[in-house]
Amino acid sequence: MTAQWQTELADAVRDPAELLRMLELDPALLQAARAAGRQFPLQVPRAFIARMRKGDPADPLLHQVLPLAAELESHSGFSNDPVGDLASRAAPGVLHKYHGRVLLITTGACGVHCRYCFRRHFPYADESARQHDWREALEFLRADASVNEVILSGGDPLSLSDQTLARLVTALEQIPHITRLRIHTRQPIVLPSRVDGALLTWLKNCCLQKVMVLHVNHARELDTAVTAALLRLRTAGASLLNQSVLLRGVNDSVAELAGLSEALFAAGVIPYYLNLLDRVQGAAHFEVSEDQARILIKGLQARLPGYLVPRLVREVPGAPSKLPLMDMPARVSPAGG
Ligand code: SF4
C-alpha cells in the first residue's frame, strides 16, 4: 500500500514553470531555472512550497531550491567531491572517515533537491550500500569492532520504505559492537507526513540509541506540522540535533541565525552545527567567507545563551573530524539535562 508521504513525494513539484506560477513569480526566471535544472533537477514538495512567500524571489526557502544561472558558472577551488567522499570509500556505499563511525550511502533519493548540496554530483548509481541487500556494508561493519555508530545518509535515508529501513536496522542490531544509530535527514522538515505510524513503529522498537540529525537552515522551515512531527520523533526515543549550512541569501545574518536557533530549541532540537559551505561546483553563489562567518557567530554569542550558538565548522577532506572554526561554550539539552 502506498503511504501518504509517498503520494506527496510523487506529487512534488519538478517543473520550474509550475513553481514560478504557484509563487506568482516573474516568468523571466524560467529560462535559467530550466538550464540549471538540466544538471540537477528541481524537486520540492508542496508542503515546503506552502511555507514560501508569494511574489518574493528572494524568499530564503525558495532560494534553497530554485535553480539559477549562477549554478552553471565554474569556479576555481570548487569541485565535484569537495569533502573527499570517494577517497574515504571502504566498501560500496560505505564511507569511513572518522574513528568509531561509519556512514552508509543508503539511497540517492531526497525529498527536496537543495541547490548547495555537496553530493549533487555524487555517483549514486555506482555507490550504494543497499546493493545486494546491504551485504558488503554489513560484512564491513561486522568485521570492524572499533565502529559503534552507524550513520544512515544519502540522499535522504527516509526516502526508503519503512520495510527496507526496518530490515536494515534489525541487521545492525545484531552486530554486538554497534550501539548507536544516527540518521541524517531533511524529510521530516520538507515532508512532515513522512513521520507516520510505520516509521515511528520501527524507530520505537529499535534497541540502538537513536540520534536524528536534521537539516534546517531557516526558522520559517519549522511550521506547525513540522513541529508536531519532531515531537513524534522525540516521543519515539530519538535525540534531535540540527546541522545548518551557512548560505548567502538564506541565513547570513545574526537575526536569521538567532531566529533559527530559537525556533529549533522551541521544537526540542539542539542547534548543533553551522557548516561553512562545502565548495561544490554549482554552489559558489551561496558562499559566505570564513571571516564573515566568525563575525556572525560573535553576534550570536552576544545575543543568545551559549547552548543556542551552533558550532561553526568546516569539513576538510582527510581530517579526523569536522574542524571547529571557533571555541564554543558547553551546551545543555532542551529537557534541561
Ligand atoms: S536533502 Fe540533503 S542530500 Fe538531499 S539534496 Fe538536500 S542537502 Fe543534499
Side-chain angles (χ1 to χ4, degrees):
M1 201 182 90
T2 308
Q4 172 66 24
W5 68 269
Q6 288 169 316
T7 306
E8 286 184 31
L9 188 53
D11 189 40
V13 171
R14 295 178 174 84
D15 178 359
E18 185 179 4
L19 180 63
L20 296 178
R21 243 189 342 265
M22 287 173 77
L23 294 173
E24 298 167 9
L25 290 169
D26 187 347
L29 294 164
L30 184 58
Q31 194 184 359
R34 284 215 195 286
R38 274 193 279 278
Q39 289 198 354
F40 183 41
L42 168 81
Q43 180 175 301
V44 54
R46 291 168 197 272
F48 196 66
I49 297 171
R51 292 167 237 164
M52 296 175 188
R53 279 190 297 254
K54 286 192 176 164
D56 182 3
D59 181 273
L61 276 57
L62 174 72
H63 194 45
Q64 296 178 58
V65 302
L66 181 67
L68 297 178
E71 294 178 33
L72 301 170
E73 296 165 9
S74 181
H75 287 262
S76 71
F78 286 72
S79 72
N80 284 356
D81 181 13
V83 296
D85 273 345
L86 296 177
S88 65
R89 178 191 185 277
V94 177
L95 308 186
H96 195 190
K97 290 187 184 177
Y98 305 140
H99 179 79
R101 290 149 279 171
V102 162
L103 183 147
L104 304 187
I105 299 288
T106 56
T107 171
C110 291
V112 67
H113 287 177
C114 312
R115 309 315 300 174
Y116 51 84
C117 178
F118 69 90
R119 292 210 177 108
R120 55 180 284 165
H121 306 288
F122 191 84
Y124 289 110
D126 307 321
E127 285 297 332
S128 167
R130 196 181 164 195
Q131 56 182 285
H132 310 124
D133 206 19
W134 313 102
R135 198 180 62 226
E136 282 101 333
L138 291 168
E139 274 167 15
F140 177 84
L141 292 168
R142 283 187 200 105
D144 188 345
S146 72
V147 175
N148 69 343
E149 177 169 340
V150 174
I151 303 167
L152 306 188
S153 184
D156 195 314
L158 295 188
S159 305
L160 296 174
S161 72
D162 290 302
Q163 295 90 317
T164 302
L165 288 163
R167 245 197 351 267
L168 170 62
V169 168
T170 301
L172 294 175
E173 285 172 330
Q174 285 158 12
I175 303 176
H177 48 271
I178 306 290
T179 57
R180 218 160 39 235
L181 176 71
R182 193 192 325 170
I183 301 173
H184 282 191
T185 179
R186 193 148 159 70
Q187 293 278 49
I189 310 304
V190 298
L191 198 69
S193 60
R194 178 64 187 91
V195 186
D196 62 6
L199 168 65
L200 295 169
T201 298
W202 67 258
L203 203 58
K204 263 187 206 144
N205 291 340
C206 170
C207 60
L208 303 171
Q209 267 197 311
K210 292 154 294 209
V211 181
M212 204 165 270
V213 179
L214 302 159
H215 177 175
V216 186
N217 296 316
H218 194 279
R220 286 213 349 258
E221 293 175 43
L222 298 167
D223 67 1
T224 315
V226 173
T227 305
L230 299 179
L231 177 60
R232 293 197 291 280
L233 290 170
R234 282 192 291 140
T235 308
S239 300
L240 303 184
L241 308 176
N242 185 62
Q243 54 176 344
S244 309
V245 183
L246 182 56
L247 298 167
R248 183 159 19 125
V250 175
N251 55 15
D252 56 335
S253 74
V254 173
E256 269 153 335
L257 290 171
L260 173 60
S261 281
E262 295 276 12
L264 285 166
F265 201 71
V269 183
I270 298 280
Y272 185 52
Y273 273 149
L274 179 62
N275 290 276
L276 287 185
L277 181 79
D278 295 314
R279 306 186 91 201
V280 66
Q281 276 299 354
H285 56 292
F286 282 110
E287 192 168 50
V288 176
S289 72
E290 271 191 38
D291 285 350
Q292 181 61 21
R294 287 196 177 90
I295 290 169
L296 291 170
I297 291 292
K298 284 193 181 134
L300 283 182
Q301 286 170 332
R303 189 159 162 167
L304 295 175
Y307 56 88
L308 290 190
V309 180
R311 290 174 197 179
L312 180 65
V313 291
R314 180 187 279 293
E315 182 159 350
V316 176
S321 68
K322 290 200 182 194
L323 296 186
L325 287 149
M326 302 181 80
D327 291 332
M328 303 307 299
R331 47 189 56 247
V332 298
S333 79

mmCIF file of all heavy atoms in Angstrom, residues 295-315:
data_model
loop_
_atom_site.group_PDB
_atom_site.id
_atom_site.type_symbol
_atom_site.label_atom_id
_atom_site.label_comp_id
_atom_site.label_asym_id
_atom_site.label_seq_id
_atom_site.Cartn_x
_atom_site.Cartn_y
_atom_site.Cartn_z
ATOM 1 N N ILE A 295 32.246 36.613 12.337
ATOM 2 C CA ILE A 295 31.545 37.814 12.819
ATOM 3 C C ILE A 295 30.103 37.452 13.208
ATOM 4 O O ILE A 295 29.582 37.883 14.240
ATOM 5 C CB ILE A 295 31.569 38.922 11.731
ATOM 6 C CG1 ILE A 295 32.992 39.448 11.579
ATOM 7 C CG2 ILE A 295 30.609 40.056 12.071
ATOM 8 C CD1 ILE A 295 33.210 40.347 10.365
ATOM 9 N N LEU A 296 29.480 36.614 12.390
ATOM 10 C CA LEU A 296 28.093 36.215 12.684
ATOM 11 C C LEU A 296 28.022 35.433 13.990
ATOM 12 O O LEU A 296 27.113 35.642 14.807
ATOM 13 C CB LEU A 296 27.533 35.378 11.524
ATOM 14 C CG LEU A 296 27.283 36.145 10.218
ATOM 15 C CD1 LEU A 296 26.974 35.181 9.069
ATOM 16 C CD2 LEU A 296 26.134 37.137 10.402
ATOM 17 N N ILE A 297 28.977 34.529 14.188
ATOM 18 C CA ILE A 297 28.952 33.731 15.428
ATOM 19 C C ILE A 297 29.177 34.642 16.639
ATOM 20 O O ILE A 297 28.511 34.501 17.675
ATOM 21 C CB ILE A 297 30.006 32.605 15.374
ATOM 22 C CG1 ILE A 297 29.595 31.548 14.348
ATOM 23 C CG2 ILE A 297 30.191 31.964 16.746
ATOM 24 C CD1 ILE A 297 28.364 30.723 14.709
ATOM 25 N N LYS A 298 30.070 35.608 16.511
ATOM 26 C CA LYS A 298 30.273 36.552 17.637
ATOM 27 C C LYS A 298 28.974 37.304 17.922
ATOM 28 O O LYS A 298 28.620 37.543 19.078
ATOM 29 C CB LYS A 298 31.399 37.523 17.312
ATOM 30 C CG LYS A 298 32.761 36.850 17.461
ATOM 31 C CD LYS A 298 33.895 37.850 17.455
ATOM 32 C CE LYS A 298 35.204 37.091 17.573
ATOM 33 N NZ LYS A 298 36.216 37.546 16.641
ATOM 34 N N GLY A 299 28.274 37.665 16.869
ATOM 35 C CA GLY A 299 26.976 38.336 17.043
ATOM 36 C C GLY A 299 25.983 37.440 17.764
ATOM 37 O O GLY A 299 25.222 37.895 18.631
ATOM 38 N N LEU A 300 26.001 36.150 17.426
ATOM 39 C CA LEU A 300 25.097 35.207 18.108
ATOM 40 C C LEU A 300 25.485 35.064 19.572
ATOM 41 O O LEU A 300 24.625 35.006 20.460
ATOM 42 C CB LEU A 300 25.171 33.823 17.450
ATOM 43 C CG LEU A 300 24.436 33.621 16.131
ATOM 44 C CD1 LEU A 300 24.574 32.178 15.672
ATOM 45 C CD2 LEU A 300 22.964 33.987 16.261
ATOM 46 N N GLN A 301 26.801 34.990 19.833
ATOM 47 C CA GLN A 301 27.264 34.833 21.218
ATOM 48 C C GLN A 301 26.843 36.028 22.072
ATOM 49 O O GLN A 301 26.567 35.875 23.261
ATOM 50 C CB GLN A 301 28.798 34.677 21.242
ATOM 51 C CG GLN A 301 29.230 33.294 20.755
ATOM 52 C CD GLN A 301 30.736 33.208 20.540
ATOM 53 O OE1 GLN A 301 31.404 34.202 20.254
ATOM 54 N NE2 GLN A 301 31.276 32.008 20.669
ATOM 55 N N ALA A 302 26.785 37.197 21.450
ATOM 56 C CA ALA A 302 26.400 38.391 22.207
ATOM 57 C C ALA A 302 24.903 38.417 22.487
ATOM 58 O O ALA A 302 24.430 39.175 23.333
ATOM 59 C CB ALA A 302 26.801 39.635 21.417
ATOM 60 N N ARG A 303 24.169 37.586 21.768
ATOM 61 C CA ARG A 303 22.714 37.706 21.804
ATOM 62 C C ARG A 303 22.014 36.517 22.451
ATOM 63 O O ARG A 303 20.910 36.646 22.973
ATOM 64 C CB ARG A 303 22.261 37.827 20.340
ATOM 65 C CG ARG A 303 20.855 38.159 20.121
ATOM 66 C CD ARG A 303 20.736 38.728 18.728
ATOM 67 N NE ARG A 303 19.358 38.685 18.299
ATOM 68 C CZ ARG A 303 18.889 39.305 17.254
ATOM 69 N NH1 ARG A 303 19.704 40.031 16.517
ATOM 70 N NH2 ARG A 303 17.628 39.221 16.926
ATOM 71 N N LEU A 304 22.659 35.351 22.398
ATOM 72 C CA LEU A 304 21.981 34.113 22.822
ATOM 73 C C LEU A 304 22.752 33.427 23.945
ATOM 74 O O LEU A 304 23.976 33.591 24.049
ATOM 75 C CB LEU A 304 21.915 33.126 21.643
ATOM 76 C CG LEU A 304 21.076 33.514 20.438
ATOM 77 C CD1 LEU A 304 21.241 32.465 19.344
ATOM 78 C CD2 LEU A 304 19.602 33.654 20.815
ATOM 79 N N PRO A 305 22.058 32.598 24.749
ATOM 80 C CA PRO A 305 22.803 31.742 25.672
ATOM 81 C C PRO A 305 23.696 30.790 24.870
ATOM 82 O O PRO A 305 23.379 30.459 23.715
ATOM 83 C CB PRO A 305 21.703 30.978 26.412
ATOM 84 C CG PRO A 305 20.479 31.116 25.576
ATOM 85 C CD PRO A 305 20.608 32.381 24.790
ATOM 86 N N GLY A 306 24.800 30.360 25.460
ATOM 87 C CA GLY A 306 25.790 29.566 24.738
ATOM 88 C C GLY A 306 25.219 28.324 24.087
ATOM 89 O O GLY A 306 25.638 27.927 22.998
ATOM 90 N N TYR A 307 24.228 27.696 24.751
ATOM 91 C CA TYR A 307 23.719 26.435 24.204
ATOM 92 C C TYR A 307 22.871 26.633 22.949
ATOM 93 O O TYR A 307 22.482 25.666 22.300
ATOM 94 C CB TYR A 307 22.940 25.647 25.280
ATOM 95 C CG TYR A 307 21.797 26.400 25.912
ATOM 96 C CD1 TYR A 307 20.524 26.372 25.349
ATOM 97 C CD2 TYR A 307 21.984 27.126 27.078
ATOM 98 C CE1 TYR A 307 19.482 27.052 25.924
ATOM 99 C CE2 TYR A 307 20.943 27.821 27.663
ATOM 100 C CZ TYR A 307 19.687 27.786 27.086
ATOM 101 O OH TYR A 307 18.653 28.465 27.656
ATOM 102 N N LEU A 308 22.567 27.878 22.616
ATOM 103 C CA LEU A 308 21.830 28.131 21.368
ATOM 104 C C LEU A 308 22.755 28.585 20.226
ATOM 105 O O LEU A 308 22.287 28.895 19.136
ATOM 106 C CB LEU A 308 20.754 29.195 21.589
ATOM 107 C CG LEU A 308 19.570 28.780 22.455
ATOM 108 C CD1 LEU A 308 18.467 29.835 22.393
ATOM 109 C CD2 LEU A 308 18.996 27.447 21.998
ATOM 110 N N VAL A 309 24.055 28.629 20.518
ATOM 111 C CA VAL A 309 25.006 29.041 19.474
ATOM 112 C C VAL A 309 25.593 27.780 18.838
ATOM 113 O O VAL A 309 26.297 27.012 19.494
ATOM 114 C CB VAL A 309 26.142 29.908 20.073
ATOM 115 C CG1 VAL A 309 27.110 30.331 18.961
ATOM 116 C CG2 VAL A 309 25.565 31.123 20.784
ATOM 117 N N PRO A 310 25.294 27.528 17.555
ATOM 118 C CA PRO A 310 25.827 26.298 16.938
ATOM 119 C C PRO A 310 27.343 26.369 16.776
ATOM 120 O O PRO A 310 27.919 27.455 16.750
ATOM 121 C CB PRO A 310 25.132 26.270 15.566
ATOM 122 C CG PRO A 310 24.790 27.697 15.279
ATOM 123 C CD PRO A 310 24.536 28.358 16.602
ATOM 124 N N ARG A 311 27.965 25.196 16.700
ATOM 125 C CA ARG A 311 29.412 25.155 16.448
ATOM 126 C C ARG A 311 29.667 25.439 14.974
ATOM 127 O O ARG A 311 29.107 24.762 14.114
ATOM 128 C CB ARG A 311 29.966 23.770 16.763
ATOM 129 C CG ARG A 311 29.956 23.470 18.222
ATOM 130 C CD ARG A 311 30.360 22.050 18.495
ATOM 131 N NE ARG A 311 29.939 21.730 19.843
ATOM 132 C CZ ARG A 311 30.096 20.570 20.424
ATOM 133 N NH1 ARG A 311 30.662 19.581 19.756
ATOM 134 N NH2 ARG A 311 29.696 20.369 21.652
ATOM 135 N N LEU A 312 30.511 26.412 14.746
ATOM 136 C CA LEU A 312 30.867 26.755 13.369
ATOM 137 C C LEU A 312 31.967 25.802 12.908
ATOM 138 O O LEU A 312 33.035 25.752 13.525
ATOM 139 C CB LEU A 312 31.367 28.206 13.321
ATOM 140 C CG LEU A 312 31.788 28.723 11.949
ATOM 141 C CD1 LEU A 312 30.603 28.789 10.989
ATOM 142 C CD2 LEU A 312 32.442 30.109 12.083
ATOM 143 N N VAL A 313 31.702 25.033 11.863
ATOM 144 C CA VAL A 313 32.664 24.016 11.433
ATOM 145 C C VAL A 313 32.831 24.023 9.913
ATOM 146 O O VAL A 313 31.965 24.489 9.180
ATOM 147 C CB VAL A 313 32.223 22.582 11.854
ATOM 148 C CG1 VAL A 313 32.314 22.406 13.356
ATOM 149 C CG2 VAL A 313 30.836 22.243 11.341
ATOM 150 N N ARG A 314 33.953 23.450 9.514
ATOM 151 C CA ARG A 314 34.189 23.196 8.091
ATOM 152 C C ARG A 314 34.639 21.750 7.955
ATOM 153 O O ARG A 314 35.383 21.254 8.808
ATOM 154 C CB ARG A 314 35.275 24.133 7.557
ATOM 155 C CG ARG A 314 35.550 23.887 6.068
ATOM 156 C CD ARG A 314 36.734 24.662 5.547
ATOM 157 N NE ARG A 314 36.523 26.045 5.199
ATOM 158 C CZ ARG A 314 35.765 26.493 4.192
ATOM 159 N NH1 ARG A 314 35.064 25.655 3.458
ATOM 160 N NH2 ARG A 314 35.688 27.774 3.927
ATOM 161 N N GLU A 315 34.169 21.062 6.934
ATOM 162 C CA GLU A 315 34.655 19.702 6.679
ATOM 163 C C GLU A 315 35.840 19.797 5.723
ATOM 164 O O GLU A 315 35.750 20.412 4.653
ATOM 165 C CB GLU A 315 33.548 18.824 6.082
ATOM 166 C CG GLU A 315 34.051 17.416 5.864
ATOM 167 C CD GLU A 315 32.945 16.366 5.773
ATOM 168 O OE1 GLU A 315 31.773 16.674 6.060
ATOM 169 O OE2 GLU A 315 33.282 15.227 5.400
#
